[in-house]
Amino acid sequence: MIDIRNIGITFAQGTPDENIALHDINLSVQRGDFITVVGSNGAGKTTLFNVLAGNLLPTTGSITMKDAGSTIDITLQKEFRRARYIGRIFQSPLLGTAGKMSLEDNLMIASYKGCKQLKINLNKRKRDEFKTQLAELGMGLEDRLADNVELLSGGQRQALSLLMATMSHPALLLLDEHTAALDPANAAIVMGLTTRFAKERALTVMMITHNMRHAIETGNRLLMMDSGEIVFDIGTEEKAKLLPEDLVTRFKELKRREIVSDGMLLQ
Ligand SMILES: Nc1ncnc2c1ncn2[C@@H]1O[C@H](COP(=O)(O)OP(=O)(O)OP(=O)(O)O)[C@@H](O)[C@H]1O
Ligand SMILES: [Mg+2]
């Protein structure tokens, strides 16, 4: 469904601070995939999401998308246009919702995302629909439609972000460590909602996580990134055999190799 070909990102090109954040990335995402993405700090995970979301334009390469039999090149498409079909949730619960607005106003905006219609009406039918959807989160938010979102806890707010991001049926949902800022209990609740929504709403998801157990137990494919490259790409069967310790060992091996090659450069 989405094809990433030879994507490269170089920051501060041609200066002493030059940094190759992504190096010749190739990746095909199929409809219905749930891909978990792991990698140490600075590996290029968020940068890859930025390129997919249109927040950063790649230095090299292309991104194409297949939709209803036709293929469109979205490499240079503006972020606000892509936002119609690419949803994104960040680590901070503050980023996916508008704190100073009520729950119902936030949901109203989310439900009209991508619509050309200018006039939006919050009628009883719409309000009942929101209540039903909020009740699905199992957090009692259906009784708090008029409350401002800033009154919610981090976990509640992130669950609301998830609901809002999936309301417009995005073709791709990007989750960037979306449970990392939550306490373990809330992280488990939001992860549970994530896998449930992905299944029920037949979503295509990419999820960055530093939680090795989540990375292994969730989804049908796992990518490991290191120094701007995809170093490891496995499917369901291989993933089922993996243990969190195996991934940690891989990380250590990669780090050792980097130290060795840096050492060689210094000689
Ligand atoms: N806008 C930017 N300008 C310059 N360098 C950047 C920019 N964004 C990211 N980088 C650099 O690109 C590299 C990859 O960063 P990125 O944020 O993608 O890592 P990450 O894998 O998401 O790490 P983390 O797990 O810490 O979130 C890092 O060296 C980072 O400093
Ligand atoms: Mg990141």
Side-chain angles (χ1 to χ4, degrees):
M1 185 187 72
I2 293 183
D3 259 313
I4 299 171
R5 288 288 149 247
N6 310 109
I7 286 289
I9 283 272
T10 306
F11 291 113
Q13 198 163 21
T15 74
D17 295 328
E18 185 168 293
N19 179 2
I20 302 175
L22 291 181
H23 180 72
D24 202 25
I25 296 279
N26 287 287
L27 179 69
S28 291
V29 180
Q30 309 301 326
R31 198 177 301 278
D33 267 350
F34 193 131
I35 304 175
T36 56
V37 184
V38 298
S40 44
N41 298 123
K45 306 177 298 294
T46 298
T47 305
L48 177 62
F49 276 19
N50 280 334
V51 173
L52 278 164
N55 178 252
L56 263 180
L57 292 183
T59 317
T60 60
S62 67
I63 307 173
T64 52
M65 189 155 173
K66 283 201 191 79
D67 184 38
S70 59
T71 303
I72 38 171
D73 189 320
I74 62 165
T75 318
L76 302 176
Q77 193 179 53
K78 294 261 188 312
E79 185 178 17
F80 75 92
R81 288 207 188 283
R82 274 187 244 191
R84 288 187 188 151
Y85 55 89
I86 298 183
R88 193 169 183 186
I89 303 182
F90 299 88
Q91 183 172 342
S92 166
L94 305 181
L95 290 174
T97 46
K100 298 275 178 219
M101 286 167 71
S102 66
L103 268 74
E104 63 186 10
D105 285 343
N106 271 273
L107 288 164
M108 201 62 184
I109 292 168
S111 68
Y112 279 91
K113 187 174 155 187
C115 288
K116 295 224 166 67
Q117 193 179 338
L118 280 177
K119 192 169 180 297
I120 50 180
N121 290 314
L122 181 55
N123 50 30
K124 175 155 183 342
R125 193 184 57 77
K126 203 84 194 150
R127 203 167 264 140
D128 286 345
E129 196 183 301
F130 292 159
K131 280 192 177 179
T132 310
Q133 291 187 315
L134 285 171
E136 280 188 44
L137 303 178
M139 295 175 158
L141 296 181
E142 60 280 15
D143 300 323
R144 301 183 60 182
L145 273 181
D147 277 0
N148 269 5
V149 166
E150 65 188 355
L151 298 175
L152 303 184
S153 73
Q156 291 170 333
R157 201 158 165 175
Q158 208 62 328
L160 179 68
S161 300
L162 188 66
L163 178 62
M164 286 168 58
T166 55
M167 272 175 127
S168 53
H169 304 284
L172 177 65
L173 179 63
L174 302 173
L175 307 173
D176 193 343
E177 299 187 48
H178 72 309
T179 62
L182 308 178
D183 63 79
N186 274 306
I189 292 171
V190 173
M191 263 316 295
L193 286 170
T194 305
T195 47
R196 209 185 88 205
F197 277 20
K199 204 164 166 213
E200 287 174 1
R201 300 174 184 207
L203 301 171
T204 306
V205 184
M206 289 180 77
M207 180 180 86
I208 298 172
T209 180
H210 283 288
N211 182 316
M212 297 305 127
R213 200 172 50 77
H214 288 168
I216 290 171
E217 289 175 359
T218 320
N220 63 319
R221 192 169 163 195
L222 181 149
L223 301 182
M224 182 186 277
M225 293 189 68
D226 184 64
S227 305
E229 294 184 53
I230 295 172
V231 290
F232 190 47
D233 180 355
I234 58 164
T236 315
E237 278 177 30
E238 276 181 88
K239 210 149 77 70
K241 291 184 220 143
L242 262 186
L243 294 172
E245 302 84 271
D246 299 332
L247 281 178
V248 175
T249 309
R250 287 257 175 177
F251 279 127
K252 285 189 182 150
E253 274 170 18
L254 287 165
K255 282 294 140 228
R256 228 180 349 252
R257 218 170 297 156
E258 272 160 33
I259 292 163
V260 170
S261 63
D262 286 353
M264 280 160 67
L265 281 174
L266 291 172
Q267 281 169 10

